[in-house]
């Protein structure tokens, strides 16, 4: 059974940094696409980035490019989202998601298409990030 558990959220001042973790069980990172999403109150879910180890490809949306970085631990069981230069508009619940295969994060066209999140099968419970001004 695939399970994803996010952690690391919290309250930070604008300009600060946070590190979120997505601990995965029941899957091998090399066989899955990992995506990060967020949802602010009253707003639609927003796809932020995806990573495919199989494709050696990572895609960041413009809203986080240059500020957020995805990596994984050596055991490839935890995806780490390093967030820097945080802004109040980054306040949201952050989710990691996984989908088997590599199609969802193969190139920019497919990454953008699938970052709606609707096709990702596995989701964590989310972790709250609050950025104060």
């Amino acid at each position: 059974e695939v399970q994803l558990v996010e952690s690391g959220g919290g309250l930070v001042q604008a300009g600060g940094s946070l590190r979120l973790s997505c601990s995965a069980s029941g899957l091998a990172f090399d066989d899955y696409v990992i995506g990060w999403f967020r949802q602010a109150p009253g707003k639609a879910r927003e796809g932020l980035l995806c990573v495919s180890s199989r494709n050696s490809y990572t895609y960041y949306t413009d809203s986080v490019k240059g500020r957020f970085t995805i990596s994984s631990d050596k055991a490839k069981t935890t995806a780490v989202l390093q967030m820097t230069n945080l802004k109040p508009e980054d306040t949201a619940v952050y989710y990691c998601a996984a989908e088997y295969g590599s199609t969802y994060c193969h190139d920019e066209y497919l990454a953008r298409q699938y970052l709606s999140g609707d096709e990702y099968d596995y989701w964590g419970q989310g972790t709250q990030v609050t950025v104060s001004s």
Side-chain angles (χ1 to χ4, degrees):
E1 179 186 6
V2 174
Q3 288 190 326
L4 304 172
V5 179
E6 300 96 338
S7 61
L11 173 65
V12 64
Q13 287 189 330
S17 300
L18 272 178
R19 185 169 141 134
L20 305 184
S21 295
C22 174
S23 297
S25 60
L27 66 81
F29 274 10
D30 286 347
D31 295 330
Y32 283 76
V33 168
I34 303 296
W36 279 91
F37 301 80
R38 68 187 178 190
Q39 188 162 22
K43 294 191 175 181
R45 182 176 59 205
E46 178 186 8
L48 304 177
L49 64 95
C50 67
V51 56
S52 168
S53 296
R54 186 181 295 180
N55 295 332
S56 297
Y57 182 75
T58 305
Y59 174 78
Y60 297 91
T61 58
D62 289 343
S63 61
V64 302
K65 189 183 300 182
R67 300 189 300 125
F68 291 13
T69 305
I70 186 71
S71 62
S72 65
D73 65 350
K74 286 187 176 180
K76 292 192 175 182
T77 59
T78 300
V80 177
L81 181 63
Q82 180 68 48
M83 307 187 296
T84 62
N85 191 23
L86 284 162
K87 307 173 184 180
E89 52 264 41
D90 293 319
T91 295
V93 178
Y94 283 69
Y95 301 89
C96 64
E99 178 61 22
Y100 181 78
S102 61
T103 302
Y104 288 14
C105 196
H106 183 272
D107 51 42
E108 179 174 350
Y109 174 78
L110 290 174
R112 290 167 64 93
Q113 179 176 346
Y114 288 111
L115 274 177
S116 67
D118 293 341
E119 288 82 8
Y120 281 72
D121 281 340
Y122 306 103
W123 291 81
Q125 83 290 351
T127 185
Q128 176 71 47
V129 171
T130 303
V131 184
S132 63
S133 57

